Amino acid sequence: MTDLFGGHPETTTLSDSEVQFLDTTLRDGEQAPGVSLTPTEKAEIATKLDSAGVGVIEAGSACTGAGERETIDRVTSLGLDATVTSFARGVKRDIDLALDCDVDGVNLVVPASDRHIEDKVETTRESVIETAVELTEYATDHGLWVEVLGEDGSRADLDFLERLMRRAFEAGADRSCYCDTVGHATPDRTLSVVSRLTALGPTSTHTHDDLGLAVTNALVSVAAGADLVHATINGIGERAGNVALEEVAIALEHGYDVETIDTAALYDLAQTVAGSTDVPLAPNKAVVGENAFTHESGIHTDGTLKDEAMYEPYPPALVGRERRLVLGKHAGRAGVRAGLDEHGIDVTDEELSTIVDRVKTIGDRGRRVTDADLLTIAEEVQGRDRDRRVELLDLTAASGGPTPTASARLAVDGEERVASGVGSGPVDAAVSAVREALAIDATLESYRVDAITGGTDALVTVEVEVSHNDRSVTVTASDADITRASVVAMVDAFDRLLSATTPVPLAND
């Protein structure tokens, strides 16, 4: 048993009893502005949540409409181990619609604060209690698992909230839920409320991040006895979002030895939800952000190479990640040498010093130093030429007609190859022509125009990331013609990948 509050005599402790998640990505998360999930996307996310060991999945709100009920039906038909629920307001019809979707339970929400009771619903406290009791009995009589949520509970009169939930339990509710609906609560308020509710029966916690306290309040809730945490993947949701499931899961496991789900599935879940919702992950997002296990600083890279735990709280594999050492203006000798070693390049101390200076110069211009950049720098410093397997000899592209076309002439292992391609634009057509000429199954992972200079001799810089046979390379190229810059970068990336592997057969024409 670990004391979350430093042994304060008036607080409780975070026990090692079982804690589970109720994931509401498919309901509360989808209420984020601009987010709308298809039945297929909801089914995919639900399946991955279930595989990760999430105990309860709130699949949506059956009362929303026919389309929403279709998505809930899709989830309930998957045969998941998780309990699948529907959000239900304090009206009988919502429960009936949830039953039609064959859910296992309902998350029954009734107003708890006077602001919601009197101003929103225009009713009385006694009427709210009567409704909660009546609908709880109705739902349980129909075999549903029932969780009663007191909306805006963090701003409710605590004596009334306690009375409401006591009556709900007496009516057969399986659990109550503390709702910090508007992210209003401080940790001490959360502790007071949840401690009172857990004395009545099983209690959940539902926190929002409007004050940046969602994770803290979720942990305080668990310390106060809550054993089910409502959360969303990536913390998506209305306003500042819900508490992020991945952050609570790793905080409980790493900080308090409380295991909840298979944390190795977190990064894949994060990527799936980010892709389905078109809500990208911030690079500095805890646990799943691109920079969470990325090191550039020379001091940090050197320390990490000596001891992987030097600058990381837990190993990246715990959440399905890999460590990345990148080069830029803060790079040091250890990081640069590690990058060279990865490509099998031996350098003297003098050569290494020159390469580090060159890397820092590029970084000072605001650019990330790619694998291709590092290899090129090393080649120039050592005065050697790389044996190229692929070279671009000629490129033509036309976009005046209805379908953009392009033709590329390449030298592949000394053999000339010519191929043509079509695409949605001249760049797409040119890249298709190069792929056709090489007949290589490399994947274009990312493509972006990195910078455009001004003036009549404007240069466009294109950056591509290409992967092949479990290796990837990032290459940049600049030219006044965006099509040529794109193809030069692609060809150089293909050449780097092929030259770095044991002979890779290139298909004949």
Side-chain angles (χ1 to χ4, degrees):
M1 183 175 290
T2 306
D3 191 341
L4 183 63
F5 299 96
H8 194 285
E10 296 179 359
T11 61
T12 184
T13 55
L14 179 62
S15 72
D16 56 3
S17 60
E18 183 179 7
V19 177
Q20 291 190 323
F21 282 104
L22 180 150
D23 183 272
T24 184
T25 302
L26 307 184
R27 198 274 301 176
D28 215 355
E30 194 188 27
Q31 291 177 193
V35 173
S36 179
L37 297 170
T38 67
T40 298
E41 288 169 336
K42 281 199 174 187
E44 179 186 14
I45 294 170
T47 299
K48 291 188 175 185
L49 289 169
D50 187 62
S51 297
V54 171
V56 184
I57 299 173
E58 190 174 33
S61 303
C63 59
T64 299
E68 180 78 340
R69 290 192 286 278
E70 179 187 350
T71 63
I72 297 174
D73 281 333
R74 183 74 174 271
V75 174
T76 58
S77 67
L78 295 172
L80 304 178
D81 291 331
T83 298
V84 178
T85 69
S86 170
F87 183 83
R89 300 166 301 175
V91 293
K92 179 175 174 291
R93 180 174 180 274
D94 283 16
I95 296 175
D96 290 333
L97 291 172
L99 286 166
D100 290 341
C101 295
D102 198 30
V103 295
D104 302 310
V106 289
N107 309 98
L108 177 62
V109 62
V110 294
S113 69
D114 287 339
R115 176 180 280 104
H116 279 238
I117 293 170
E118 297 171 1
D119 298 337
K120 176 186 172 183
V121 184
E122 298 181 343
T123 187
T124 65
R125 290 183 176 186
E126 291 305 317
S127 179
V128 168
I129 292 176
E130 291 174 8
T131 297
V133 168
E134 177 186 344
L135 294 180
T136 297
E137 291 176 342
Y138 182 76
T140 55
D141 285 346
H142 285 78
L144 292 175
W145 174 91
V146 178
E147 177 187 58
V148 177
L149 298 83
E151 187 174 18
D152 204 27
S154 59
R155 294 192 293 190
D157 175 78
L158 189 47
D159 289 337
F160 167 70
L161 182 64
E162 185 177 41
R163 185 157 61 96
L164 169 65
M165 292 308 175
R166 178 180 291 108
R167 292 291 303 277
F169 276 120
E170 292 171 352
D174 293 275
R175 59 176 48 247
S176 67
C177 181
Y178 161 71
C179 294
D180 186 21
T181 304
V182 296
H184 153 86
T186 54
D188 53 329
R189 172 63 175 176
T190 297
L191 178 64
S192 297
V193 178
V194 177
S195 296
R196 293 269 290 269
L197 295 183
T198 56
L200 303 175
T203 301
S204 313
T205 184
H206 182 108
T207 62
H208 281 262
D209 208 34
D210 297 77
L211 297 182
L213 292 172
V215 172
T216 301
N217 284 333
L219 295 178
V220 168
S221 297
V222 173
D227 60 356
L228 186 69
V229 177
H230 289 210
T232 63
I233 299 299
N234 301 340
I236 64 170
E238 294 180 278
R239 305 181 316 279
N242 294 56
V243 71
L245 185 148
E246 63 277 1
E247 295 178 17
V248 178
I250 196 61
L252 286 172
E253 181 159 332
H254 172 72
Y256 302 101
D257 294 324
V258 176
E259 295 184 4
T260 54
I261 64 170
D262 177 13
T263 55
L266 289 175
Y267 186 60
D268 179 58
L269 269 167
Q271 292 294 314
T272 299
V273 171
S276 296
T277 60
D278 290 327
V279 179
L281 294 170
N284 63 333
K285 169 76 169 64
V287 184
V288 294
E290 190 63 27
N291 292 345
F293 299 96
T294 299
H295 306 274
E296 178 185 322
S297 164
I299 295 174
H300 283 211
T301 298
D302 180 59
T304 300
L305 289 168
K306 292 174 180 176
D307 180 352
E308 293 180 345
M310 190 74 72
Y311 288 102
E312 292 172 351
Y314 54 88
L318 182 63
V319 292
R321 303 294 304 277
E322 292 183 356
R323 181 179 299 105
R324 294 175 62 233
L325 303 179
V326 299
L327 302 178
K329 66 180 291 185
H330 304 292
R333 293 174 64 88
V336 173
R337 185 180 290 280
L340 294 169
D341 287 345
E342 184 178 341
H343 294 281
I345 298 175
D346 294 322
V347 294
T348 65
D349 286 344
E350 183 178 354
E351 290 171 340
L352 179 61
S353 295
T354 303
I355 293 171
V356 170
D357 289 342
R358 293 277 298 277
V359 166
K360 287 180 175 291
T361 298
I362 294 175
D364 283 336
R365 296 201 299 265
R367 280 187 52 201
R368 180 169 63 88
V369 179
T370 66
D371 288 350
D373 290 330
L374 181 61
L375 295 175
T376 299
I377 293 170
E379 290 164 6
E380 293 175 354
V381 169
Q382 293 184 325
R384 57 184 171 82
D385 293 324
R386 174 168 56 88
D387 293 329
R388 295 185 65 98
R389 298 187 62 186
V390 183
E391 291 185 83
L392 177 65
L393 301 178
D394 190 37
L395 172 70
T396 60
S399 58
T403 303
T405 61
S407 175
R409 186 163 63 93
L410 306 177
V412 181
D413 288 339
E415 172 192 355
E416 186 173 308
R417 296 188 180 184
V418 179
S420 59
V422 297
S424 58
V427 172
D428 189 33
V431 170
S432 296
V434 171
R435 289 178 182 274
E436 179 69 20
L438 292 177
I440 184 174
D441 61 350
T443 301
L444 177 62
E445 300 289 353
S446 66
Y447 169 91
R448 78 164 185 253
V449 178
D450 192 48
I452 299 178
T453 62
T456 57
D457 58 346
L459 290 179
V460 59
T461 299
V462 172
E463 180 182 279
V464 299
E465 181 183 359
V466 180
S467 63
H468 175 66
N469 284 354
D470 297 325
R471 293 192 73 256
S472 66
V473 63
T474 302
V475 177
T476 59
S478 299
D479 196 276
D481 184 333
I482 187 173
T483 301
R484 185 170 184 82
S486 301
V487 172
V488 168
M490 288 287 293
V491 169
D492 196 23
F494 288 148
D495 180 66
R496 294 280 183 189
L497 287 169
L498 295 177
S499 299
T501 62
T502 53
V504 177
L506 296 175
N508 294 325
D509 291 343

